[in-house]
Amino acid sequence: SINQVRNLSKLNFINQPSDLLLPSLLLFISLILFNTFLKLFTITFSNYVKASVGHQISKVAYKKIIYSNYEYQINTSSTKIIDNFYVSLGASLANIDSFLDAIRSLFTLILITITLFIINKEITLCIFLVSGLTYISTAITKNKILARNGRILKISVKKQTDLIQESWGYKKNI
């Protein structure tokens, strides 16, 4: 980092450390503007993709319902069809949004990692090592807790089911 500043000081227009202030400020402002533009572009693109996919799914569902046989249309409530459609469409769009958000986050992580490697490789490796170990240990602990809670829930549900069956007379002592 200090070597990089010394290399910058060899430039002709930088004679004093205070001369670095304006170029640093301009670089910082331009990076903020670029980041803002990139965020706005990715949000707009994400909304466009969701709207496009939602529109296509709606068209396919509408055609399936319109061209379904007469018995299906008579026996099925239109309220139920519309309700199921909106629930399914909402879930599909939420999954698409999560996928696009994951891609956006991965892209941001790659850019941050590249920048950190340019600044200092050793610190970057330490950060990723500590973060990775923390993530792995947290995931292992979480999985153990979930497995234990799942076993407890399974036993509780079995006991509740047995109790209900006994109270209704389905289970008899022989």
Side-chain angles (χ1 to χ4, degrees):
S1 176
I2 294 175
N3 291 332
Q4 292 170 345
V5 173
R6 286 186 187 143
N7 289 338
L8 284 176
S9 68
K10 292 178 184 175
L11 297 174
N12 289 336
F13 66 91
I14 299 176
N15 297 322
Q16 298 291 331
S18 61
D19 292 340
L20 279 174
L21 185 62
L22 182 62
S24 298
L25 180 66
L26 292 175
L27 178 65
F28 184 70
I29 290 173
S30 63
L31 288 175
I32 288 175
L33 290 174
F34 178 73
N35 188 30
T36 303
F37 171 75
L38 194 61
K39 287 276 187 190
L40 289 174
F41 174 76
T42 56
I43 289 170
T44 304
F45 178 74
S46 175
N47 288 337
Y48 173 77
V49 168
K50 287 191 309 185
S52 177
V53 170
H55 178 71
Q56 292 298 324
I57 291 173
S58 298
K59 280 178 34 179
V60 169
Y62 183 74
K63 282 183 183 178
K64 280 193 166 217
I65 291 170
I66 291 297
Y67 294 121
S68 63
N69 60 22
Y70 183 71
E71 291 82 22
Y72 175 77
Q73 291 188 7
I74 293 295
N75 295 330
T76 308
S77 167
S78 62
T79 305
K80 183 179 177 185
I81 292 172
I82 292 170
D83 186 47
N84 289 341
F85 172 72
Y86 280 121
V87 168
S88 299
L89 184 63
S92 298
L93 292 179
N95 288 333
I96 291 169
D97 191 39
S98 296
F99 176 73
L100 292 174
D101 190 37
I103 289 175
R104 190 170 49 236
S105 297
L106 182 65
F107 181 70
T108 303
L109 179 68
I110 289 171
L111 289 178
I112 289 171
T113 304
I114 289 171
T115 305
L116 287 174
F117 266 111
I118 290 171
I119 293 172
N120 193 332
K121 294 176 185 165
E122 293 82 19
I123 292 176
T124 304
L125 290 174
C126 288
I127 289 171
F128 274 98
L129 183 65
V130 169
S131 299
L133 291 175
T134 303
Y135 178 79
I136 290 171
S137 65
T138 305
I140 290 171
T141 305
K142 176 196 63 127
N143 287 340
K144 286 180 182 179
I145 291 170
L146 286 175
R148 186 184 73 228
N149 289 345
R151 286 190 298 273
I152 292 170
L153 183 64
K154 182 180 175 184
I155 292 169
S156 287
V157 168
K158 178 153 178 30
K159 285 181 182 179
Q160 287 175 353
T161 305
D162 288 346
L163 182 65
I164 291 171
Q165 286 177 345
E166 284 177 18
S167 67
W168 285 349
Y170 290 130
K171 206 173 187 181
K172 296 183 181 179
N173 292 333
I174 297 178

